[in-house]
Amino acid sequence: GDINESCRHGCVALAFQALSFLDIFFALNLESSEVGKYTALVLTGSYESRLSVSQGPLLASITRLSFFLLVMLDPCHGAFGHNLIRLRRYLKWCYILSNQSKDTLPNTLDGVYVSAVYFMYESAEKCNGLYEVAVKDFSGYKQRQKMLLNGRGLREILLELYIEKHDILQLQLPRNSFKNMNAMLSRCIPKAG
């Protein structure tokens, strides 16, 4: 019990520190110059072999770390919301990188997009479950507000992913999963004109 909890806290702290270290490279304005985007990706690319065995581009690895935090952190914790902001930024960088790449990189990132759907769904379920408990107990107004805010953040990220990578998700998700996601999110897309 105590050893597992201690290991869990250590892993969460280590993941959070690693992502905080890399924030400086990915905190650039995504609308900045092409040179700025390229520089950020080149700078971080050289760190991957030092951090771990290569599992694709560094961007895919740090996005996976962000998924880990999404599942491990309590939706009421301030770090959960910070991680959502970070995850949204990483996914936007993934969109840029996969659109610019001519090699097998887009295939690696396709797996990241599909994983994002599953991890965000699991996190949304956790938010919903904790929210229902807080409502029944008539307690934790601030916690309920954080959970609602974080739930909204999850939905916004999922909607962006749905819009950006609709075709990939349709091909790679199970048919019923995509059908349910399509029914839920297609109503949220603003109509043109």
Side-chain angles (χ1 to χ4, degrees):
D2 288 343
I3 293 174
N4 287 342
E5 189 66 18
S6 176
C7 288
R8 185 177 81 83
H9 284 295
C11 289
V12 167
L14 186 60
F16 202 82
Q17 288 176 357
L19 294 179
S20 295
F21 168 74
L22 293 168
D23 272 350
I24 192 166
F25 300 112
F26 291 98
L28 298 172
N29 183 353
L30 288 170
E31 284 75 35
S32 66
S33 71
E34 291 299 315
V35 173
K37 292 175 189 175
Y38 179 77
T39 303
L41 294 170
V42 168
L43 283 173
T44 55
S46 64
Y47 287 105
E48 185 170 13
S49 60
R50 295 180 200 160
L51 293 174
S52 67
V53 176
S54 179
Q55 297 180 9
L58 179 67
L59 192 53
S61 297
I62 63 176
T63 304
R64 289 183 196 110
L65 271 180
S66 190
F67 293 156
F68 168 74
L69 289 177
L70 199 63
V71 172
M72 298 302 287
L73 291 171
D74 185 338
C76 302
H77 196 278
F80 188 92
H82 184 73
N83 189 56
L84 282 178
I85 293 167
R86 183 181 277 147
L87 177 60
R88 178 181 240 162
R89 191 177 334 138
Y90 293 158
L91 286 171
K92 285 183 180 182
W93 277 102
C94 285
Y95 304 150
I96 290 168
L97 189 58
S98 65
N99 290 339
Q100 292 178 350
S101 181
K102 306 276 189 270
D103 55 14
T104 61
L105 179 62
N107 293 335
T108 303
L109 295 176
D110 290 353
V112 169
Y113 305 137
V114 173
S115 297
V117 171
Y118 288 112
F119 284 112
M120 285 188 282
Y121 177 78
E122 184 175 330
S123 296
E125 287 289 309
K126 185 168 52 172
C127 275
N128 188 43
L130 289 172
Y131 185 77
E132 287 177 4
V133 168
V135 167
K136 285 180 187 174
D137 293 343
F138 297 105
S139 64
Y141 176 76
K142 286 186 178 182
Q143 289 178 332
R144 289 189 307 221
Q145 291 301 102
K146 279 185 184 177
M147 283 186 277
L148 286 173
L149 186 63
N150 289 334
R152 185 179 309 132
L154 285 166
R155 189 192 72 163
E156 289 170 1
I157 294 170
L158 192 56
L159 183 60
E160 287 174 7
L161 181 60
Y162 175 79
I163 291 168
E164 280 289 326
K165 298 298 175 183
H166 181 273
D167 295 339
I168 291 166
L169 295 176
Q170 186 173 12
L171 287 173
Q172 296 202 8
L173 286 172
R175 182 174 288 139
N176 282 342
S177 297
F178 183 79
K179 184 179 175 184
N180 291 337
M181 188 172 85
N182 192 45
M184 178 180 71
L185 295 176
S186 61
R187 297 179 299 213
C188 301
I189 299 174
K191 303 284 189 243

